[in-house]
Amino acid sequence: MSRPIVICCAITGSRPRKADNPAVPVSPAEQIESAHEAFEAGATVLHLHVRDEHERPCFLPERFAVVMEGVYEHCPGMIIELSTGGVAGSPADRAASLPLRPDMAAIALGSVNFPNGVYHNPPDVIDELARTCADLHIKPCIEVFDLSMIYTARAMCDQGLLREPLHFHIVLGGQGALPARRQVLDFIVAEIHNLFPDSTWMASGLGRHQDIVMDWALYLGGHIRT
Amino acid sequence: MSRPIVICCAITGSRPRKADNPAVPVSPAEQIESAHEAFEAGATVLHLHVRDEHERPCFLPERFAVVMEGVYEHCPGMIIELSTGGVAGSPADRAASLPLRPDMAAIALGSVNFPNGVYHNPPDVIDELARTCADLHIKPCIEVFDLSMIYTARAMCDQGLLREPLHFHIVLGGQGALPARRQVLDFIVAEIHNLFPDSTWMASGLGRHQDIVMDWALYLGGHIRT
Ligand SMILES: [Zn+2]
Ligand SMILES: [Zn+2]
Ligand SMILES: [Zn+2]
Ligand SMILES: [Zn+2]
């Protein structure tokens, strides 16, 4: 028996620059080309962070818009998910591209430590991002960087701020956040099944943890992000 | 068969004022009296937050010092654990009373959402609090507000920033943080046993969750905080 797997590809992460890895696509033309390669290789969802002209992470709607337009043209049917986090940005900046009405938007439902500081997602910011997604009919991807975030998702569904079925992205392997540990993924997946019976999920491992987490996710019935 | 249970009493929480509950001890005299009552009722550890003259949460060493002196005098043998968090405070403020050399100091090993904002414990602040505790021979109490914090504890032991055996305090029932859910406590306790075989732990439930979490902790072999 086989099951269809959704592959979500993050062509450009939240941080790397050309100096870190010359293959990282940073210009819109490079990003469109990279999305196209991922699409031809089988990825059906594009997770998108953009850069300004100095390769700095940014939330400029013009940048998102030009990449979205190119991807819709070259990759018919590909689902585009915009990042609303990953770098320091004001709440208004982080939501600034949602009016472009991407198919999906990634929202981290809480705060957690990253190696260099706090990934700051206070309750009022999360609630407002969820409200904006609902108003614009954008499907949220719930980014899970720590266990509490799935219970916050439950509370937000109960309050009408999120609508089921949800899609979760479980992120493992971040220092200060959830480790790439099989017991952790097993427990979170079991809790998601308990609390959100009709939801879907995918998992990814940061850096060197990518391959093992992908294996676990496939084994456990999840989808994957590369 | 019976086992000895350690009861840690937080006589004054991080936030409440007389207006919230007239029984909350806020002056040093009230705090010493309250500690004494807890001691006579069987509590052997005092978890201490202090207030300034306007009942505002503070980290003033003079305040900690006068309560500590009264408690050592009236409650011989009671262990005193100082808070280093719970309210907004600069890293220097939060560590300012450690030179008083309390027996223990509570350190939250990561950041998490509280109902009104982010409980901000960035990696450099945590590392510095742990270093100060080690230098002054203060035993840390590892406050666990989200799952990741136990893996951060493991990493800090491996780096020599913390020394085993550790003592954990698992806090359940906070909105935005870990819920008062039996599966959550079971999993965290199992992971603590796996990763820190000779550690000890206690659990508490915030507000209305206090009784049920205490029951679970006693059943699972932990200690309790009231
Ligand atoms: Zn991202
Ligand atoms: Zn996503
Ligand atoms: Zn406290
Ligand atoms: Zn404690």
Side-chain angles (χ1 to χ4, degrees), chain B residues 34-151:
Chain B
S34 177
H36 192 213
E37 285 168 21
F39 185 65
E40 302 221 303
T44 51
V45 182
L46 176 71
H47 176 83
L48 188 60
H49 289 257
V50 291
R51 298 286 189 276
D52 68 14
E53 67 275 31
H54 305 290
E55 298 189 33
R56 286 180 304 220
C58 76
F59 292 101
L60 293 173
E62 313 84 84
R63 277 291 170 126
F64 276 119
V66 63
V67 180
M68 284 174 66
E69 194 183 313
V71 172
Y72 282 134
E73 189 183 323
H74 290 85
C75 315
M78 193 172 204
I79 290 170
I80 299 183
E81 172 185 298
L82 300 192
S83 167
T84 64
V87 293
S90 72
D93 283 347
R94 293 171 57 173
S97 293
L98 296 179
L100 298 172
R101 294 178 183 256
D103 305 288
M104 299 181 72
I107 312 181
L109 290 195
S111 302
V112 70
N113 276 5
F114 277 176
N116 298 316
V118 179
Y119 183 28
H120 209 262
N121 296 293
D124 54 344
V125 170
I126 297 171
D127 288 358
E128 188 55 30
L129 286 169
R131 252 182 234 112
T132 305
C133 285
D135 288 346
L136 298 174
H137 302 281
I138 297 166
K139 181 165 172 99
C141 170
I142 309 300
E143 308 266 2
V144 178
F145 287 94
D146 211 337
L147 178 60
S148 292
M149 300 186 191
I150 65 173
Y151 306 107

Side-chain angles (χ1 to χ4, degrees), chain A residues 8 47 81 104-106 141-143 167 169 202 225:
Chain A
C8 171
H47 176 84
E81 171 185 298
M104 298 181 74
C141 170
I142 309 300
E143 308 267 1
H167 178 65
H169 172 206
M202 64 187 180
R225 171 130 139 213

Side-chain angles (χ1 to χ4, degrees), chain A residues 10 12-14 47-49 81-86 106 119 143 145 169 225:
Chain A
T12 308
S14 65
H47 176 84
L48 188 60
H49 289 256
E81 171 185 298
L82 299 192
S83 166
T84 63
Y119 184 28
E143 308 267 1
F145 288 93
H169 172 206
R225 171 130 139 213

